[in-house]
C-alpha cells in the first residue's frame, strides 16, 4: 500500500481531533462568557432595580430561564426606600417577567419586561429624599405594567392618599439615547375621571431632571367637578403638551355641557380654549390665557395656581375680564330663579384670589375689580316698574301711567358702574353709580353673597323737585322737605337706598339723616318706590 494512501486517514483523524478540540474550547469559552456576562441573575437584576428606584430590592422567589428565550421571573418583589422599621415599602410587585435574546445579552438589551400587580406608594412630598437615578445602561424594547396602582400620600394626617389606577401602561425604548414612547390609560382621583395619553419622554437627563423632554396628546373624560366646592358638572378636555418637565406648554379645550354653581338651579354649557405652562416638578400651573364661553358671554382669564413659600397647598390667583357680555348670563350662574333679575351689556375686569383653606368657596374667595353695565333693565315687572316710576318722578312727569312703565324702552338703567371688593362672602361696593332718564344715583354699601341681603345707600340727583317724585298726600308732605334736598336752581339731591334681597330688591328714599337734622332718634317715614307705584 502506498504510504500516501495510509497518510490520508491519519490527517483526517488529526483534523477531526483539532476540530473537536476547537469546538470544545469555543463551547467552554461561550459558557464562560455567558457565565460572566449573564445578566439574568438575582443579584444582577436586583442591583439594576435598586439603582433605578434608590431602594433596597428583595424577591420572595427567583426563576432563571434559558430556552427558548433567556430571561428570568421574580415574584413578591419589594422595593424598600426608607429603611426605618415599620415604614411601608415604596413599591411592591406580584411578578416581574424579563425576556431577552441571546444576542441582546452582550449588548445589554432586553426584549420585554412584564410587570404584574405593581403598587407604588409615594410618601408625602418633601418627607423623604430620593437620589436622582442615572439613565439605565440596559435598554428595554417594551415595558408593560397594566393594572398598576399609584398612591400619593397626603401631608395632612388622616387624609387618604390620592389613588391613580392604570388600566393600561406601556413604554418602549426605555434607557436608549432616543426618546421613549409611552401610552397610558388611568383613572384620575380628583376630579374623578378617565385620562388617556400617548407621547414621548426623554432621553432622561440625570444632571437636570427638569430639562428632560416630554410631549404628547391627552384626553380627559367624565371628570366630576363636584369634587370642588361650589361648582357642579362633568368635564371633558383634550389637548397637546410639549416641552420639558419644568416647563410643559399645554394647549387644549374643555367642555362642560351642564355647568352649575352649587347654590344655583341653572345649568349652562361652558366651553374653554386655553394655553398654560405646567411645572411637573412642583405641580404649579401658569395660565397664559383661557377664553371661557357660555350663552352669549366670553370671559378671558390669566393667572396661576401655584405654591407660596411657607404655605401648604396651592393658591389660585387670576385676572379676569369680559367686554360686551351679558349681565343676565353672569347672574343666572348664581340664582335659583329661572330668570336673571337684570339684563344688559356688561364689561368688567377683576382680580381673584383663592387660598388653600378649608372654608366654603364663597367665604374664602377674594375679588377686587371694576364693572360697568349699559342698557340695563329688570326682568321682574314690579322691580322694573319701580325703576321706571323713579325715572318719571325724577323728570317731574306725574301724568305718566304706570301701565306704560313696563314697556317704555327709555326707562332703563344706563352707565351702571362701580368698584367691588369681595371678602369673607361680603361684596363691598364703592363709586357705584347708575342713571335713569331724569336722575343719576351714586351709592355705596354691601351685598352679602351668603344671605343675599342688599344694603346700599347714596344720593339721587333729579331733574325735578323731590316732592314731584310721588303723588297725592305724600307729595304734599315732601314739599315741606324740599329745602333739605335743594342743591342748585335746577336739580335736587336726595338720599336714596336699595335694600331687600337679591330676588326682591327695594328702592326708596333714605330720609334719615337729612330730614332729621342729624337726630338719629327722630322717626321719619321713608316712602318706598313700591308704595309710590301703587299711587
Amino acid at each position: 500500500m502506498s504510504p500516501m494512501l495510509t497518510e490520508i486517514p491519519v490527517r483526517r483523524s488529526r483534523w477531526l481531533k483539532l476540530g473537536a478540540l476547537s469546538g470544545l474550547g469555543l463551547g467552554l469559552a461561550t459558557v464562560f462568557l455567558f457565565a460572566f456576562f449573564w445578566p439574568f441573575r438575582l443579584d444582577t437584576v436586583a442591583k439594576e432595580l435598586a439603582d433605578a428606584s434608590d431602594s433596597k430590592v428583595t424577591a420572595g422567589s427567583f426563576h432563571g430561564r434559558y430556552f427558548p428565550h433567556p430571561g428570568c421571573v421574580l415574584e413578591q418583589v419589594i422595593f424598600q426606600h426608607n429603611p426605618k422599621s415599620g415604614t411601608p415599602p415604596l413599591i411592591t410587585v406580584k411578578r416581574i417577567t424579563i425576556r431577552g435574546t441571546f444576542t441582546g445579552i452582550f449588548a445589554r438589551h432586553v426584549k420585554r419586561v412584564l410587570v404584574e400587580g405593581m403598587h407604588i406608594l409615594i410618601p408625602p412630598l418633601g418627607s423623604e429624599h430620593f437620589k436622582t437615578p442615572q439613565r439605565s445602561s440596559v435598554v428595554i424594547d417594551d415595558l408593560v405594567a397594566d393594572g398598576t396602582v399609584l398612591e400619593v400620600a397626603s401631608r395632612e394626617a388622616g387624609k387618604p392618599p390620592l389613588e391613580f389606577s392604570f388600566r393600561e401602561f406601556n413604554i418602549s425604548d426605555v434607557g436608549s439615547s432616543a426618546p421613549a414612547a409611552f401610552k397610558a390609560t388611568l383613572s384620575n382621583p380628583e376630579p374623578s375621571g378617565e385620562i388617556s395619553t400617548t407621547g414621548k419622554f426623554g432621553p432622561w437627563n440625570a444632571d437636570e431632571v427638569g430639562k428632560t423632554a416630554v410631549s404628547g396628546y391627552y384626553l380627559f373624560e367624565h371628570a366630576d367637578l363636584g369634587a370642588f366646592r361650589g361648582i357642579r358638572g362633568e368635564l371633558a378636555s383634550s389637548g397637546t403638551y410639549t416641552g420639558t418637565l419644568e416647563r410643559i406648554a399645554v394647549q387644549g379645550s374643555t367642555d362642560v355641557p351642564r355647568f352649575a354653581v352649587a347654590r344655583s338651579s341653572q345649568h349652562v354649557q361652558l366651553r374653554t380654549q386655553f394655553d398654560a405652562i405646567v411645572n411637573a416638578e412642583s405641580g404649579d400651573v401658569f395660565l397664559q390665557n383661557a377664553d371661557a364661553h357660555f350663552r352669549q358671554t366670553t370671559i378671558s382669564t390669566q393667572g396661576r395656581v401655584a405654591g407660596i413659600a411657607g404655605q401648604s397647598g396651592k393658591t389660585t390667583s387670576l385676572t379676569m375680564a369680559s367686554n360686551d357680555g351679558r349681565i343676565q348670563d353672569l347672574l343666572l350662574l348664581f340664582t335659583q330663579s329661572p330668570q336673571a333679575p337684570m339684563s344688559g351689556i356688561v364689561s368688567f375686569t377683576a382680580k381673584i384670589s383663592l387660598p388653600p383653606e378649608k372654608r366654603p368657596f364663597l367665604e374664602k374667595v377674594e375679588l377686587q375689580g371694576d364693572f360697568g353695565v349699559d342698557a340695563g333693565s329688570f326682568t321682574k315687572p314690579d322691580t322694573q316698574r319701580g325703576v321706571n316710576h323713579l325715572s318719571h318722578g325724577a323728570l317731574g312727569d306725574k301724568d305718566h301711567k304706570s301701565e306704560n312703565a313696563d314697556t317704555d324702552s327709555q326707562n332703563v338703567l344706563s352707565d351702571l358702574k362701580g368698584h367691588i371688593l369681595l371678602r369673607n362672602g361680603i361684596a363691598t361696593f364703592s363709586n357705584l353709580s347708575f342713571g335713569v332718564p331724569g336722575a343719576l344715583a351714586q351709592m355705596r354699601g354691601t351685598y352679602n353673597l351668603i344671605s343675599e341681603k342688599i344694603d346700599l345707600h347714596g344720593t339721587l340727583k333729579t331733574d325735578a323737585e323731590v316732592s314731584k317724585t310721588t303723588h297725592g298726600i305724600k307729595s304734599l308732605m315732601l314739599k315741606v322737605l324740599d329745602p333739605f334736598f335743594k342743591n342748585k336752581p335746577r336739580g335736587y339731591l336726595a338720599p336714596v337706598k336699595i335694600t331687600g334681597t337679591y330676588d326682591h330688591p327695594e328702592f326708596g328714599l333714605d330720609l334719615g339723616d337729612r330730614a332729621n337734622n342729624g337726630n338719629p332718634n327722630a322717626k321719619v317715614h321713608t316712602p318706598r318706590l313700591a308704595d309710590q307705584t301703587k299711587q
Side-chain angles (χ1 to χ4, degrees), residues 95-112:
R95 182 183 296 108
I96 301 176
T97 303
I98 302 174
R99 175 183 172 182
T101 62
F102 287 105
T103 56
I105 290 176
F106 301 100
R108 297 185 64 80
H109 199 103
V110 173
K111 188 70 175 177
R112 179 182 172 88

Side-chain angles (χ1 to χ4, degrees), residues 45-58 77-83 88-92 120-121 123 128-131 133:
V45 175
K47 183 178 185 307
E48 286 287 343
L49 297 175
D51 291 343
S53 62
D54 190 23
S55 304
K56 179 182 178 181
V57 177
T58 58
V77 187
I78 297 176
F79 296 70
Q80 188 69 46
H81 171 74
N82 191 334
L90 176 68
I91 304 172
T92 59
I120 305 172
L121 178 59
E128 296 183 22
H129 175 71
F130 286 83
K131 295 180 181 178

Side-chain angles (χ1 to χ4, degrees), residues 218-469:
Y218 78 90
L219 176 64
F220 190 14
E221 297 180 290
H222 312 300
D224 183 7
L225 298 182
F228 306 112
R229 292 183 179 182
I231 59 176
R232 301 192 307 268
E234 186 175 284
L235 175 143
S237 178
S238 62
T240 60
Y241 52 92
T242 183
T244 60
L245 290 180
E246 66 183 9
R247 186 179 175 84
I248 305 174
V250 184
Q251 291 183 322
S253 62
T254 68
D255 183 16
V256 186
R258 292 177 59 82
F259 175 81
V261 175
R263 294 171 59 89
S264 173
S265 62
Q266 303 298 313
H267 298 86
V268 298
Q269 181 166 24
L270 176 64
R271 291 191 177 104
T272 67
Q273 296 282 340
F274 67 89
D275 294 281
I277 300 296
V278 178
N279 187 327
E281 291 185 296
S282 64
D284 294 342
V285 178
F286 302 88
L287 192 61
Q288 294 181 311
N289 187 68
D291 289 330
H293 183 78
F294 55 99
R295 291 194 171 97
Q296 297 182 38
T297 297
T298 299
I299 299 176
S300 296
T301 305
Q302 297 84 34
R304 58 190 289 173
V305 181
I308 297 177
Q311 186 181 66
S312 177
K314 305 287 185 184
T315 295
T316 301
S317 303
L318 302 173
T319 299
M320 307 179 73
S322 180
N323 291 316
D324 298 327
R326 301 196 314 178
I327 186 65
Q328 59 265 41
D329 294 345
L330 293 172
L331 294 177
L332 277 173
L333 293 175
F334 302 96
T335 182
Q336 295 285 345
S337 303
Q339 281 188 315
M342 185 180 182
S343 63
I345 306 301
V346 64
S347 298
F348 69 86
T349 59
K351 292 183 178 180
I352 299 174
S353 177
L354 191 65
E357 300 175 0
K358 289 185 176 180
R359 291 195 295 163
F361 176 81
L362 291 179
E363 293 182 13
K364 67 180 180 179
V365 64
E366 296 186 3
L367 179 148
Q368 181 171 308
D370 298 280
F371 64 92
V373 178
D374 200 12
S377 62
F378 293 93
T379 54
K380 286 191 175 183
D382 289 343
T383 306
Q384 185 60 47
R385 189 179 297 115
V387 174
N388 294 348
H389 211 294
L390 172 65
S391 172
H392 292 295
L395 290 168
D397 183 6
K398 294 184 179 181
D399 298 327
H400 190 87
K401 297 181 180 180
S402 61
E403 58 266 22
N404 296 329
D406 296 340
T407 58
D408 192 335
S409 61
Q410 293 183 347
N411 291 335
V412 296
L413 295 178
S414 64
D415 200 21
L416 169 61
K417 60 184 178 181
H419 180 79
I420 180 174
L421 175 62
L422 173 61
R423 187 172 293 162
N424 297 321
I426 298 176
T428 301
F429 295 91
S430 58
N431 299 324
L432 179 64
S433 64
F434 64 89
V436 294
L440 175 66
Q442 293 182 318
M443 311 193 77
R444 64 186 180 278
T446 62
Y447 169 63
N448 192 313
L449 274 71
I450 299 172
S451 66
E452 298 188 345
K453 289 185 177 180
I454 303 171
D455 187 23
L456 297 172
H457 300 264
T459 58
L460 179 71
K461 186 178 185 300
T462 69
D463 291 345
E465 296 176 355
V466 68
S467 59
K468 294 180 180 179
T469 63

Side-chain angles (χ1 to χ4, degrees), residues 112-116 142-146 148 169-171:
R112 179 182 172 88
V113 174
L114 176 62
V115 182
E116 300 174 84
D142 194 26
L143 188 152
V144 179
D146 298 346
T148 294
F169 183 83
N170 181 277
I171 185 167

